[in-house]
Amino acid sequence: MKGIDVDTYGTLNEVLVRLFRDIMDIEQRAVITPEFNNVTNNDMHVIEAIGINEPKNMSAIAKELSVTVGTLTIAMNSLVKKGYVIRQRGKEDRRVVYISLSEKGKEVYGHHARFHQEMIEGAISGLSENEIEVLTKALTKLNRWFRGLNK
């Protein structure tokens, strides 16, 4: 192992394993409120990919999520039924379906964004600028490593 002792390896292993195991549960508990009691983590990933800007077509959202349009359609049907998403046919090409968030969808998007902001603030609280830079670099490398595994 690259220049780390057994204790450091054990600590990193424990922290990463627990973090990956817990993060989805923590996020789910943070997002579910009486107002948004029917939102799943999968729903939130789709809502995040849709975003609050211009409507997107299904292909663009599927690409961002690394899923097929067919898989996305199943999730989208659920989100439309729950009232978080609006589907609209293209004005120029009726075959194209554009997706945007409803007002309810925008509210849950904002609620989730606030959770992320609090998470980041908690992660960097008390760190120096140099430590934040090192943490960002390390997490970026880890993210690239995981994305490389999916190819």
Side-chain angles (χ1 to χ4, degrees):
M1 186 90 330
K2 183 182 176 182
I4 63 171
D5 60 42
V6 174
D7 290 340
T8 302
Y9 175 87
T11 300
L12 283 172
N13 185 58
E14 182 180 339
V15 168
L16 288 173
V17 168
R18 283 183 187 221
L19 182 62
F20 291 132
R21 187 182 332 137
D22 293 346
I23 199 161
M24 294 298 271
D25 291 336
I26 293 165
E27 187 170 38
Q28 183 75 30
R29 285 194 308 267
V31 170
I32 291 180
T33 63
E35 184 180 10
F36 306 117
N37 62 358
N38 63 347
V39 178
T40 66
N41 276 339
N42 188 54
D43 290 342
M44 279 312 312
H45 292 142
V46 176
I47 288 168
E48 270 187 315
I50 295 167
I52 56 173
N53 298 318
E54 295 298 313
K56 295 180 179 177
N57 66 38
M58 292 284 284
S59 297
I61 298 166
K63 183 178 179 183
E64 187 169 333
L65 293 169
S66 300
V67 299
T68 66
V69 173
T71 298
L72 180 61
T73 298
I74 295 165
M76 209 56 74
N77 289 341
S78 173
L79 286 169
V80 168
K81 189 175 181 179
K82 292 176 183 180
Y84 293 107
V85 169
I86 300 168
R87 278 188 181 121
Q88 293 177 311
R89 294 262 174 210
K91 290 182 176 82
E92 294 167 17
D93 185 346
R94 303 275 305 147
R95 295 171 297 177
V96 178
V97 177
Y98 289 99
I99 306 298
S100 59
L101 297 180
S102 66
E103 284 307 310
K104 185 177 175 183
K106 290 175 183 175
E107 288 174 21
V108 76
Y109 179 95
H111 177 68
H112 188 246
R114 285 187 293 281
F115 165 75
H116 277 243
Q117 183 178 356
E118 290 171 11
M119 177 181 64
I120 291 167
E121 287 172 0
I124 64 172
S125 175
L127 298 181
S128 68
E129 284 186 35
N130 186 54
E131 290 169 323
I132 293 170
E133 188 178 320
V134 170
L135 177 63
T136 302
K137 185 177 179 180
L139 292 176
T140 299
K141 281 185 75 170
L142 185 61
N143 185 42
R144 284 189 189 130
W145 184 81
F146 275 112
R147 292 201 171 268
L149 288 178
N150 289 330
K151 291 183 179 179

